Amino acid sequence: MASGEFRLRLCCGKRNKLRFLSHLEYAHAIERGIRRSGVEFCLTQGYNPRMKLAFGPALPVGTGGMREYVDLWLRRYVPTDRVLNVVQSSLAQDLSPSEAKYVHMRDPSLSAQCTVGVYEVLLTGGGATEQTVCTALNNLIDEGSVTIKQKGRSKVYDLTTCLPKEIVVRQDSQDSVRVGLSIRMGSQGSLRPEALIVEALHRQDCSAAVESVMRLDTLIESKTGLLKRPI
Amino acid sequence: MNCWLEPAVLAGNQNQVSDLLSRVEPLLTKVERPSRYIDSEYGAIHREAAYRCALVYPDVYEIGIANQALAILYERINCLPDCAAERAYLPWVDMIEAMRTADVPLFSLETLRPLIEFDIVGITLQYELTYANILEVLDLACIPVRASERTAKHPIVVGGGPCAYNPEPMAAFFDAFVIGEAEEAIGELITMHKAALAQGESRENVLVALATIPGVYVPEVHGLHRLTPEIGPLDRQVAADPGLRIQKRVAPVEVLGRPSGRRIVPYMDAVHDRVTVEIMRGCTRGCRFCQAGMVYRPVRERDQDSIVSEAVEAIRCTGYDEVSLTSLSTTDHSQIDQIIRRLTRIFKDSGTSISLPSLRVDAEAVRQSLLTAMSGRSTGLTLAPEAGTQRMRDAINKNVTEESLLAAVERAFIGGKRRVKLYFMIGLPFETDEDIAGIGELVAKVLAKARASTPPHQRGSVIIAVSVSVLVSKAHTPFQWIGQISRSEIVRRQQILRDSMPRKGVDLSWHDADVSTLEAALARGDAGMSKIIERAWANGALFDTWSERFSLTPWIEAFEHHGTSLDECAQRDFEREELLPWSHIFSGVSNEYLWSEWIRCGETLTTPDCTFAACTACGVCSYEGAGWSLSVAGSRDGLR
């Protein structure tokens, strides 16, 4: 086996009850799982050496993730299926990785590369229908920008740049509606999908509640606007 | 212990959760730090069994998950046939409010089962200021807080832990207490309870049966509200016949440790978030203020091979990058140097560090150990001189000299440390203002030594953290007869402390006078204290250990309501011949020894550690029939 430094990208999850982990808790859980797996990882330089590990954009507490990316630097080349196998058995099922791929050492960091999040929001109650949700969101998008209040502070988001793709709304059941939307993430913080939807519904006097929020994917956007997965 | 569970029952099996899940999950979106309530940690055990035991820590998850006693019991019970242990913690105030609003009872983490559905609920009594929390646990679980109001449909509520050495303040709320090391008694207790349940015995008969187990104190049977007139009340009887005392349980050295290495790995940052390996139990240094040093006797050292193998296995199983070698006085272990050397070698280049809590500074080996430990990743250095002058240190039998402290600091700072934490106490018996000012003078010397041992360009980063607590006299110690100094006197002495402390390079913190006074009142309270605790809880006392939540108001009202005062209870002195509230509990250390130590305190005479010198006749090893004995793995000669 060759030795040196090898950058392995893992596609992990943050599902079910574990969506309630904070980003820091999530990062610790992944790190400890990798330690348990016995994979030979690289350490950072410095007085307190840590596992060399990098994460993609953070998820808020309560938001689940289907494809969350983690870069891990290994001391030796190990076939991806073997790494996957040992890491999967060392992590809770709701966090465990589904895919792995070696990436170039000089690739930009995950947080710099991944600029678009694809979300699915489930709405229930309040008489929400596909029609009302669709209308509410379109009306808001037509305004061009939205002001979201969070933790006592207001922030204005330009919807023409925040939303790179069309929003998809479909009736899930008689009492629930699913909204699919992609949001461009910036260095200044990204718009939360549920905040956008709640604001839109509020303006339509619709009291539907957000049941769950799931980030389905995190994507890399090319200069030409093409979206692709980090793996 | 040879048994461990098959992998299928480890975390990940979510098939057994109760229907509370659908009611709990919506609450998690409304509360802070929901990871306190979600279970699914690596190493958690999900086991289906007919007999269920809930182990409760009466504070929030991140505090409770670090508790070693509950972790040991969790492991032991889950190895018993047809028994399952699950964990529960007191939710934080936002979750308590959400649960009460949604009518959700307190539940276990593993199966989200309401606590009231368990056969037994074990609650640890680690600290007096969690007493109000315990009542909140019971009430939130829909279990009547008073034991006398419970019926056959309720679980048996059992207490244990260090505060159980004076059980009376909480006796009204518990069905039974395990005195001493519960891992030694829990199997018998569960077996007897299971048998009694199988035979359809009444709750009263169950309690009478439990009272026959050595080390188990059942207030309803032994105490004032006895069910069997021919037995109690015990506290009156022991005055005539000390043999009737409830004698603590002691685990033999062979069963100490957790060789499987498995631990629950929390998702959230917990206190002491690292692997802990207990290397020794008990301490015979004989510090006169220290309850743990008295009640956990005799000293039992584990063998270095078992310690090293457990540490390595635990790091492998958990994924932690730090292992802490715990005990009351880790550097007293006769093989500590070998243990640290071996672990340092094994963990080299893995980013794994070794930490040593509870360091003493009076042994050459300590200095060697510190230096060795420093070859790994940096960990904190904490030393406990406890008093500022040699006279005071001799009075409390803290056999530490200024020279040894300064030598330890010098070695540590030459080795690369830039911060050291020192623990002191004020409010000690026979303490003078000069003794308090002596703390500041000693800290100044430590600071000077630390700076002198640091390269000039790094001297600006040298910090001496000083934490000063107030003596709280505890049961079963030589100070058990003496009350606390008044609150105004605590404040006055703290002012002397502040005035005497160097300003630059010292980070000084001290314990709140109100908190210390309440702790003192509860620690030596009698059965009458239960009404005060219940009243204070009803007044809103909760999370008293959290400074942002602590308020003395509900407590003062409760004391006054019951015709006494907080200060009176805290400052109360007991007479030598007086029947103490904990007279019916026997820790193994004789009252004669404790009294002689109190006299020697007044004469500033020190008593040597019996593992280095001759037997000091504390009574533990010689106690007839108990079979307790000192167990030292190697030789302590080099550690003196």
Side-chain angles (χ1 to χ4, degrees):
Chain A
M1 276 191 258
S3 62
E5 276 205 6
F6 299 87
R7 184 175 171 185
L8 182 72
R9 184 159 291 170
L10 297 164
C11 173
C12 298
K14 187 185 169 211
R15 295 177 284 265
N16 298 321
K17 277 199 285 185
L18 296 190
R19 72 182 187 274
F20 290 109
L21 299 184
S22 71
H23 184 64
L24 197 61
E25 291 163 352
Y26 173 75
H28 280 164
I30 297 285
E31 181 184 335
R32 284 177 183 157
I34 291 168
R35 280 182 179 277
R36 283 192 294 267
S37 73
V39 168
E40 289 188 65
F41 52 83
C42 295
L43 293 171
T44 59
Q45 303 293 308
Y47 195 61
N48 282 342
R50 314 286 311 185
M51 181 186 292
K52 204 165 171 186
L53 197 63
F55 291 82
L59 277 175
V61 174
T63 300
M66 295 299 287
R67 298 179 65 86
E68 297 300 307
Y69 297 99
V70 181
D71 279 356
L72 168 67
W73 278 259
L74 299 178
R75 291 214 302 249
R76 294 176 192 282
Y77 175 81
V78 184
T80 51
D81 55 348
R82 202 181 302 168
V83 179
L84 262 184
N85 200 20
V86 290
V87 176
Q88 278 169 349
S89 61
S90 308
L91 275 169
Q93 202 178 344
D94 290 333
L95 296 180
S96 75
S98 53
E99 287 176 58
K101 184 188 173 188
Y102 283 99
V103 295
H104 200 281
M105 292 295 286
R106 291 188 180 175
D107 273 1
S109 70
L110 270 171
S111 55
Q113 273 190 304
C114 298
T115 53
V116 175
V118 181
Y119 294 88
E120 184 181 79
V121 180
L122 178 64
L123 302 169
T124 56
T129 62
E130 185 178 325
Q131 184 65 39
T132 53
V133 175
C134 214
T135 307
L137 282 167
N138 285 335
N139 288 347
L140 183 58
I141 291 166
D142 286 346
E143 290 181 23
S145 68
V146 63
T147 304
I148 302 288
K149 275 188 183 172
Q150 200 188 354
K151 293 179 181 171
R153 286 194 296 183
S154 296
K155 194 167 178 183
V156 180
Y157 293 94
D158 179 358
L159 295 178
T160 56
T161 56
C162 278
L163 302 172
K165 290 176 77 176
E166 285 292 309
I167 293 177
V168 180
V169 182
R170 68 177 170 82
Q171 195 78 39
D172 191 58
S173 68
Q174 196 178 355
D175 194 34
S176 63
V177 172
R178 278 184 199 275
V179 182
L181 67 172
S182 300
I183 291 180
R184 195 173 275 124
M185 298 175 280
S187 56
Q188 303 300 312
S190 58
L191 173 63
R192 289 192 179 187
E194 69 274 26
L196 174 75
I197 294 168
V198 167
E199 180 64 25
L201 294 176
H202 178 68
R203 294 182 186 201
Q204 294 288 309
D205 288 331
C206 177
S207 59
V210 175
E211 179 83 12
S212 68
V213 185
M214 177 69 82
R215 183 154 76 192
L216 302 176
D217 215 336
T218 316
L219 302 173
I220 298 170
E221 187 175 20
S222 70
K223 285 177 184 170
T224 57
L226 208 64
L227 297 173
K228 65 167 189 174
R229 284 180 167 164
I231 290 185
Chain B
M1 190 170 56
N2 297 320
C3 145
W4 189 257
L5 294 163
E6 61 277 18
V9 297
L10 294 175
N13 183 353
Q14 301 290 314
N15 298 331
Q16 306 144 12
V17 293
S18 74
D19 60 359
L20 270 187
L21 179 62
S22 59
R23 291 162 62 196
V24 172
E25 273 211 355
L27 307 183
L28 299 182
T29 60
K30 301 170 188 167
V31 298
E32 278 180 21
R33 312 190 77 176
S35 50
R36 284 171 172 148
Y37 315 108
I38 58 173
D39 171 47
S40 308
E41 308 106 310
Y42 194 85
I45 300 166
H46 296 78
R47 194 181 196 205
E48 200 51 69
Y51 186 89
R52 308 197 77 85
C53 176
L55 297 172
V56 184
Y57 192 92
D59 208 317
V60 288
Y61 174 89
E62 60 267 38
I63 308 291
I65 191 71
N67 184 266
Q68 290 307 296
L70 284 188
I72 290 169
L73 291 177
Y74 182 74
E75 213 173 281
R76 298 280 159 98
I77 295 169
N78 274 314
C79 284
L80 294 175
D82 208 20
C83 284
E86 300 186 16
R87 297 160 298 140
Y89 304 91
L90 182 61
W92 186 241
V93 285
D94 56 352
M95 185 65 169
I96 291 176
E97 191 183 336
M99 287 167 68
R100 288 194 185 278
T101 304
D103 207 17
V104 172
L106 185 59
F107 51 85
S108 69
L109 287 188
E110 280 79 0
T111 56
L112 290 180
R113 192 183 300 266
L115 254 57
I116 198 169
E117 292 179 13
F118 283 79
D119 297 295
I120 189 166
V121 172
I123 305 178
T124 183
L125 292 95
Q126 291 290 321
Y127 184 34
E128 292 81 3
L129 293 192
T130 62
Y131 284 174
N133 293 9
I134 291 172
L135 302 199
E136 185 72 13
V137 162
L138 292 171
D139 189 61
L140 196 59
C142 303
I143 298 170
V145 293
R146 287 204 160 259
S148 57
E149 292 167 12
R150 290 176 205 141
T151 65
K153 71 174 183 182
H154 296 114
I156 297 289
V157 179
V158 181
C163 293
Y165 279 96
N166 177 21
E168 289 310 319
M170 293 299 284
F173 314 118
F174 282 86
D175 298 304
F177 293 92
V178 176
I179 310 298
E181 296 164 17
E183 71 254 56
E184 193 58 13
I186 195 70
E188 290 165 56
L189 193 145
I190 286 176
T191 304
M192 189 163 282
H193 190 211
K194 277 171 77 175
L197 290 176
Q199 288 163 19
E201 295 284 4
S202 67
R203 186 178 179 84
E204 288 73 20
N205 285 345
V206 168
L207 294 180
V208 170
L210 296 183
T212 63
I213 302 171
V216 175
Y217 173 58
V218 182
E220 288 278 313
V221 178
H222 296 119
L224 295 172
H225 309 290
R226 61 194 186 281
L227 295 164
T228 50
E230 67 277 10
I231 297 180
L234 191 64
D235 58 345
R236 297 284 176 270
Q237 290 199 16
V238 294
D241 183 1
L244 291 176
R245 288 176 295 186
I246 306 294
Q247 184 179 302
K248 73 170 179 185
R249 297 297 293 265
V250 174
V253 67
E254 303 80 44
V255 305
L256 301 184
R258 301 159 69 191
S260 73
R262 289 185 189 272
R263 307 283 194 277
I264 294 176
V265 185
Y267 285 116
M268 72 184 306
D269 270 351
V271 296
H272 310 302
D273 200 11
R274 59 185 80 99
V275 162
T276 54
V277 176
E278 185 183 26
I279 67 166
M280 171 173 78
R281 203 171 286 180
C283 170
T284 42
R285 287 284 182 173
C287 302
R288 292 176 177 134
F289 55 84
C290 181
Q291 187 189 43
M294 297 293 161
V295 301
Y296 288 113
R297 292 179 180 211
V299 165
R300 285 149 289 161
E301 284 185 3
R302 292 178 62 202
D303 172 69
Q304 60 166 310
D305 290 341
S306 69
I307 293 167
V308 170
S309 121
E310 181 182 328
V312 171
E313 196 58 17
I315 288 290
R316 190 187 66 77
C317 287
T318 60
Y320 274 110
D321 59 359
E322 183 176 352
V323 59
S324 179
L325 305 176
T326 64
S327 77
L328 292 173
S329 184
T330 293
T331 45
D332 278 347
H333 194 291
S334 59
Q335 297 171 326
I336 188 66
D337 275 357
Q338 295 94 311
I339 293 166
I340 292 174
R341 256 199 297 273
R342 287 172 68 179
L343 288 178
T344 305
R345 200 166 51 238
I346 291 166
F347 293 138
K348 189 168 180 275
D349 297 330
S350 71
T352 303
S353 62
I354 306 157
S355 64
L356 306 173
S358 305
L359 292 183
R360 292 185 62 90
V361 292
D362 54 344
E364 175 61 27
V366 174
R367 295 188 283 277
Q368 296 297 335
S369 303
L370 285 175
L371 200 62
T372 317
M374 273 177 245
S375 61
R377 196 153 61 84
S378 174
T379 58
L381 172 63
T382 304
L383 303 168
E386 305 293 2
T389 61
Q390 196 59 49
R391 188 194 73 82
M392 203 67 250
R393 287 194 290 274
D394 288 346
I396 60 175
N397 205 39
K398 188 83 190 183
N399 295 316
V400 171
T401 63
E402 187 176 301
E403 292 71 36
S404 60
L405 173 64
L406 294 178
V409 170
E410 184 179 24
R411 293 292 286 266
F413 279 78
I414 287 174
K417 295 281 180 199
R418 295 294 169 260
R419 181 186 167 91
V420 64
K421 187 166 189 178
L422 302 177
Y423 281 120
F424 290 97
M425 262 194 286
I426 59 169
L428 295 163
F430 312 110
E431 184 178 67
T432 64
D433 289 356
E434 288 70 38
D435 293 316
I436 298 167
I439 296 175
E441 289 160 18
L442 184 60
V443 170
K445 288 177 188 170
V446 167
L447 182 61
K449 181 62 77 178
R451 282 182 176 153
S453 311
T454 303
H457 66 284
Q458 292 180 12
R459 284 179 188 161
S461 59
V462 169
I463 292 286
I464 311 297
V466 179
S467 176
V468 184
S469 60
V470 181
L471 172 73
V472 175
S473 299
K474 300 271 176 154
H476 305 282
T477 69
F479 294 165
Q480 64 180 348
W481 290 277
I482 59 156
Q484 197 175 53
I485 56 173
S486 69
R487 275 189 281 166
S488 58
E489 180 61 14
I490 293 173
V491 172
R492 191 189 72 80
R493 293 190 193 187
Q494 285 173 337
Q495 187 57 49
I496 297 172
L497 181 77
R498 281 203 292 269
D499 293 343
S500 68
M501 201 58 67
R503 293 280 180 267
K504 201 175 169 194
V506 174
D507 183 2
L508 173 66
S509 62
W510 57 87
H511 284 203
D512 184 79
D514 291 349
V515 172
S516 301
T517 305
L518 177 59
E519 188 185 339
L522 296 174
R524 296 188 311 136
D526 57 18
M529 191 64 75
S530 63
K531 290 177 187 165
I532 294 167
I533 294 167
E534 192 173 2
R535 174 101 184 165
W537 166 69
N539 285 345
L542 191 63
F543 287 114
D544 289 316
T545 51
W546 294 72
S547 54
E548 71 268 34
R549 293 278 315 167
F550 178 76
S551 166
L552 205 55
T553 313
W555 287 98
I556 287 176
E557 193 281 334
F559 276 92
E560 287 172 357
H561 180 82
H562 289 287
T564 182
S565 79
L566 169 65
D567 294 316
E568 188 184 315
C569 292
Q571 294 165 30
R572 179 183 174 191
D573 287 330
F574 291 109
E575 297 297 324
R576 166 74 177 96
E577 302 306 326
E578 202 170 339
L579 197 63
L580 300 170
W582 51 91
S583 300
H584 51 302
I585 304 298
F586 185 46
S587 73
V589 177
S590 71
N591 249 13
E592 291 70 29
Y593 174 78
L594 296 177
W595 182 257
S596 73
E597 282 296 290
W598 166 239
I599 298 299
R600 290 173 74 83
C601 169
E603 295 167 352
T604 56
L605 291 173
T606 60
T607 302
D609 182 338
C610 65
T611 57
F612 297 108
C615 172
T616 54
C618 71
V620 169
C621 298
S622 59
Y623 189 69
E624 199 179 333
W628 302 328
S629 62
L630 193 74
S631 173
V632 177
S635 165
R636 287 190 168 194
D637 288 345
L639 300 172
R640 205 176 295 241

